[in-house]
Amino acid sequence: MSSLNSLFNRSTIGTRCKTCLNLAISRIKLLRNKREVQLDGMRKEIFQYLHTGQESIARIRVEHIIREQNILAAYEVLELFCEFVLARVPILESKKECPVELQEAIASIIYASSRCSDLPELTTIRNLFGTKYGKEFVMSALELRPDSCVNRTVIEKLSVKAPSAESKLNVLKSIAQERGLEWDSSATEAQFNKTYDDLLDSSESSQNKPTTICTPTEGRSIPSPVPVKQTAQTASSSVSPRQSIVQSTEGEKLLANRESSDVLQRAREAIALADNACNAARLAVNLANVKLSVNSS
C-alpha cells in the first residue's frame, strides 16, 4: 500500500512540476519581451537627456536601466534552467534525492522564487521541491548557505545592491555611442569619482559661504564676513531682557495710541455726518411750511 502511495505522489509531483515549469517558461518569455520594449524606451530617454545636456538626470535614470538589464539577464538564465529541469522531470521522479546535475538549476529556481514576484509559478515549483526534498534543501538555497548550489549570475543579477559608478558610466557611454552622439563624459566621470566625504565638504562650504546684505537706502551689496545665522544669534544675545521688555511695552503704547486716534477720527466723521443730516431736515421742514402758507393764502 505504501508503494502505491509513493508511486501516486511521485506521478502527481511530476505532472504538477511539468505544468508549472511550462507556465513559468511562457511567462518569462512574455516578461522578457515586455521589459525589452521598456528598456529600449528608457535608453532613448537617456539619450535625449545626454543630447540636451541634462546629465544630472541621466546619471540618476541610468540606475533603472542597469536594474532592468540585470533582471533580463536573470530571466534568461532562469528560462534555461526551467527548460533543463523540464526535460529531466522523469529523472526527478525516479530518484529520491536531487540529482547532482540538477542541483544548480533547482537551487537557482528556488532562490529566484523569493525575489521575482512577477513569476508566481516559481513559488509553486519551490513548494513542490520542498515537499520532495525537504525543508532544509529549500532553506539552503534561499539563505545562500555554503552547501547551496545557486548560480552566481542569478545571485548577482537579482541583487538589490546599487550599481557601481563604473557600470553606470559604461552604460551611458554605450547609449551615446550606439546613437552616434559625441558626448563628453568628463563632468560625469568627475561626479561619479566624488566620495561621500567630498560631498559633505562641498555642502559645508556652501553653508559657510559669506552672504551679501543689501541696504535699502543705498542699494549697495556689502559682504558680511559672518554667516547670517551667526549674526542673528549675536544680535539677539546682545539685547538684554530688560531692554526687550521696554521695547515691547513701547510698541504696545504706540499701537494703542494709533487705535485711539483712529477711533476719535471716526467719531468726528460720524458727528459731522449727523450735523449735515440735521441741517437737511431743517431745510425740508422750512420748505414744507412755505408751501403750506402759500396754499392757505
Side-chain angles (χ1 to χ4, degrees):
M1 192 67 182
S2 60
S3 60
L4 291 176
N5 290 333
S6 62
L7 289 173
F8 179 74
N9 292 332
R10 185 184 304 168
S11 61
T12 303
I13 290 176
T15 304
R16 293 182 62 188
C17 188
K18 285 182 179 180
T19 304
C20 293
L21 286 171
N22 283 319
L23 291 174
I25 292 170
S26 300
R27 190 183 293 274
I28 289 174
K29 290 180 179 179
L30 290 174
L31 291 176
R32 283 181 61 189
N33 294 332
K34 182 180 178 181
R35 288 183 179 272
E36 284 175 357
V37 174
Q38 292 178 351
L39 183 61
D40 186 58
M42 294 169 68
R43 293 178 75 89
K44 289 180 180 178
E45 188 179 2
I46 292 294
F47 167 73
Q48 292 295 332
Y49 288 135
L50 294 177
H51 184 65
T52 56
Q54 299 177 338
E55 296 184 9
S56 58
I57 302 177
R59 287 194 292 266
I60 298 174
R61 296 292 181 87
V62 72
E63 294 187 7
H64 300 286
I65 290 181
I66 295 175
R67 190 175 297 111
E68 289 294 323
Q69 289 178 348
N70 291 338
I71 293 175
L72 280 175
Y75 281 175
E76 185 177 358
V77 177
L78 289 174
E79 184 180 357
L80 294 175
F81 281 153
C82 288
E83 292 176 351
F84 182 69
V85 175
L86 179 62
R88 287 161 176 76
V89 169
I91 299 176
L92 294 176
E93 292 177 342
S94 62
K95 294 184 178 181
K96 186 176 180 180
E97 300 293 333
C98 181
V100 178
E101 67 272 13
L102 292 175
Q103 287 183 359
E104 182 181 5
I106 294 175
S108 301
I109 293 172
I110 293 173
Y111 175 80
S113 64
S114 62
R115 289 160 177 82
C116 297
S117 58
D118 47 358
L119 294 174
E121 292 82 8
L122 298 185
T123 303
T124 306
I125 296 171
R126 180 187 68 190
N127 295 333
L128 291 174
F129 287 137
T131 303
K132 184 173 180 61
Y133 300 126
K135 184 178 179 182
E136 289 297 322
F137 180 82
V138 174
M139 295 304 297
S140 175
L142 290 175
E143 297 176 358
L144 291 178
R145 295 177 183 175
D147 56 343
S148 65
C149 302
V150 183
N151 184 268
R152 293 300 168 189
T153 302
V154 175
I155 296 174
E156 293 176 0
K157 299 303 180 181
L158 294 180
S159 176
V160 296
K161 184 172 62 176
S164 62
E166 183 180 0
S167 61
K168 291 190 286 186
L169 184 62
N170 291 334
V171 171
L172 290 175
K173 287 182 178 180
S174 66
I175 292 174
Q177 186 176 3
E178 72 183 8
R179 305 283 176 176
L181 176 65
E182 295 182 358
W183 175 56
D184 184 12
S185 61
S186 58
T188 301
E189 290 179 7
Q191 189 68 25
F192 283 154
N193 291 330
K194 282 186 177 180
T195 60
Y196 183 72
D197 295 334
D198 295 337
L199 294 175
L200 286 178
D201 294 338
S202 61
S203 62
E204 289 177 358
S205 62
S206 62
Q207 290 179 358
N208 296 328
K209 184 179 179 180
T211 56
T212 57
I213 302 173
C214 182
T215 58
T217 56
E218 299 178 0
R220 293 178 298 178
S221 298
I222 303 173
S224 63
V226 190
V228 177
K229 292 183 179 180
Q230 186 175 356
T231 55
Q233 292 177 357
T234 53
S236 60
S237 61
S238 62
V239 180
S240 62
R242 184 174 180 180
Q243 290 177 352
S244 61
I245 294 172
V246 171
Q247 290 177 358
S248 61
T249 53
E250 289 178 355
E252 291 176 357
K253 288 180 181 179
L254 289 174
L255 290 175
N257 292 333
R258 290 178 182 176
E259 291 177 357
S260 61
S261 62
D262 293 339
V263 171
L264 290 175
Q265 184 66 25
R266 292 175 184 173
R268 290 171 183 172
E269 292 176 356
I271 292 171
L273 291 174
D275 291 338
N276 293 333
C278 291
N279 293 330
R282 288 173 186 172
L283 290 174
V285 171
N286 292 332
L287 289 173
N289 293 330
V290 169
K291 289 180 180 180
L292 290 174
S293 60
V294 170
N295 292 331
S296 62
S297 61

